Amino acid sequence: MNPTLRMSCPVLAAAFAVAISGCAGSTVHVAPTLELSADAASATAGVAESLATSETFAPVADPLAQAEPAVLDLFDASNAMTHVRYLADVVGDRPAGSVAEREAAQYIAGQLTEWGYAPRFEEFPLPNGSSSRNVVAERTGTSSYRFVLGAHFDTKSPSPGANDNGTGTGVVLEIAQLLSESDPYATIEFVFFGAEERIDGDPDHHHYGSRARVAAMSTQERTDTAGMISVDMIGYGPAFHVRTMKRGPQTLSAELLSYATDRGIACTFRIDPGATGWSDHEAYELAGIPAAWVEWRDDPTYHTVGDTASHVRVDKVDTAGELVWGYVTGLDQARVEKLR
Ligand SMILES: [Zn+2]
């Protein structure tokens, strides 16, 4: 764990038996109906910042042996499921460029703002003349390194997209909330991608959000980015995998598998055989950034109306969430150097 982890939310306080007042709360709020105002976002961020800096805890003697299980327990799949239900049951089908996709982006940005982040929308055009957007936020780290946690929130019609990919979105949101008042070693960038799914019959017409995000990264940002995880479809199926196209650095996939093995999580490598990949790790991997896709498979309701929240398995979401959360929260200098 990060020994400088700071705590001021009920979930953190409960785990460490510390009572703290003044938390902004961990409840899930309904989507805002207006665009975010920059002033409102920075004001919220300021409040969170002052809370965070006023409550610092001393490092524990042996973080790996003593504190990591407690930190792992902080990940709450039921919070992730609240996001899944909102996206699938309230917003529903949200294909690239649609009003519903924008509504989902607003919901995500609204949640991040509640937790003190200052999210921004990254607009990008689609070849059919419409446009989509990513939602991007970050928690600043203590080093110059960066690490990206990503999940797409669009769907393939007519699916309500609970597992694909309300689950990945929910897990990344839950991790963003958990990290909202910590000082990670690497800056953690949360990217919620629009337009991941194919928009027509051309198998290359997908991953627009992640391709736009990578295209906008500076040379310095690419150099500083130690890794990227795409969390995509982690709520159903018998087999848990870390996947890559094997066309970029394989350090992150190896590290994730090793992390899983050390903690008794059954997880194996499976290649992503798509010519242009099957999830948002594609652009990062092709840019030479250590990238990996975490997935439970197969889901028979994939891209159908049957992909509802009630069909998602909370235990699968929990396993994937704990793997990603545990790995990311333990990302220190030694782990970053293994990725380089
Ligand atoms: Zn997906």
Side-chain angles (χ1 to χ4, degrees):
M1 73 174 279
N2 179 346
T4 60
L5 192 68
R6 289 167 173 168
M7 296 154 241
S8 67
C9 274
V11 60
L12 298 164
F16 288 82
V18 176
I20 293 167
S21 63
C23 178
S26 62
T27 52
V28 172
H29 297 263
V30 297
T33 52
L34 297 171
E35 295 284 327
L36 287 175
S37 115
D39 285 346
S42 63
T44 312
V47 170
E49 192 62 40
S50 64
L51 282 172
T53 50
S54 65
E55 288 140 7
T56 306
F57 286 74
V60 294
D62 184 349
L64 274 182
Q66 296 173 18
E68 195 155 314
V71 169
L72 282 180
D73 286 345
L74 296 178
F75 179 85
D76 189 342
S78 68
N79 286 341
M81 286 305 299
T82 302
H83 304 305
V84 172
R85 281 190 290 273
Y86 187 87
L87 292 167
D89 297 348
V90 179
V91 180
D93 182 22
R94 45 195 183 280
S98 67
V99 170
E101 191 199 36
R102 291 178 76 87
E103 190 184 340
Q106 287 286 348
Y107 169 77
I108 291 162
Q111 295 294 296
L112 293 165
T113 303
E114 285 288 336
W115 305 325
Y117 291 97
R120 65 186 172 88
F121 295 120
E122 182 173 56
E123 298 274 347
F124 51 89
L126 298 173
N128 60 13
S130 64
S131 68
S132 179
R133 45 173 44 184
N134 297 326
V135 185
V136 186
E138 66 181 44
R139 183 68 198 165
T140 305
T142 57
S143 72
S144 61
Y145 291 114
R146 303 178 63 80
F147 194 91
V148 179
L149 276 186
H152 78 86
F153 58 88
D154 64 308
T155 58
K156 182 74 175 172
S157 288
S159 171
N163 186 26
D164 186 12
N165 185 34
T167 55
T169 303
V171 161
V172 177
L173 277 172
E174 166 66 355
I175 292 174
Q177 183 174 12
L178 288 172
L179 282 176
S180 64
E181 294 177 26
S182 71
D183 285 331
Y185 173 71
T187 290
I188 308 297
E189 181 179 84
F190 306 97
V191 191
F192 300 88
F193 301 111
E196 186 270 350
E197 302 286 358
R198 269 195 224 171
I199 60 166
D200 55 33
D202 187 329
D204 186 42
H205 283 186
H206 58 175
H207 308 170
Y208 290 102
S210 46
R211 289 172 179 177
R213 179 81 287 281
V214 171
M217 289 170 75
S218 67
T219 305
Q220 187 64 51
E221 208 179 339
R222 290 178 192 213
T223 303
D224 291 343
T225 300
M228 181 274 181
I229 299 175
S230 174
V231 188
D232 192 359
M233 295 190 73
I234 42 85
Y236 199 88
F240 189 37
H241 296 300
V242 169
R243 313 187 68 172
T244 76
M245 301 162 67
K246 284 209 162 179
R247 289 168 64 187
Q250 299 298 297
T251 48
L252 178 59
S253 56
E255 282 295 297
L256 282 171
L257 289 165
S258 152
Y259 182 87
T261 301
D262 289 350
R263 281 147 192 85
I265 299 170
C267 184
T268 55
F269 180 80
R270 186 180 179 105
I271 198 162
D272 171 355
T276 55
W278 288 348
S279 188
D280 288 307
H281 58 292
E282 179 218 3
Y284 292 87
E285 191 172 342
L286 295 181
I289 294 166
W293 165 25
V294 173
E295 180 205 41
W296 275 100
R297 72 193 306 269
D298 287 326
D299 181 354
T301 74
Y302 172 67
H303 290 177
T304 73
V305 293
D307 185 8
T308 59
S310 60
H311 137 90
V312 168
R313 288 274 303 269
V314 183
D315 57 326
K316 307 288 178 182
V317 174
D318 191 54
T319 302
E322 289 201 355
L323 172 67
V324 176
W325 158 246
Y327 179 77
V328 169
T329 197
L331 203 57
D332 56 10
Q333 185 175 0
R335 281 195 187 158
V336 164
E337 282 170 3
K338 287 182 180 174
L339 301 177
R340 306 298 298 167

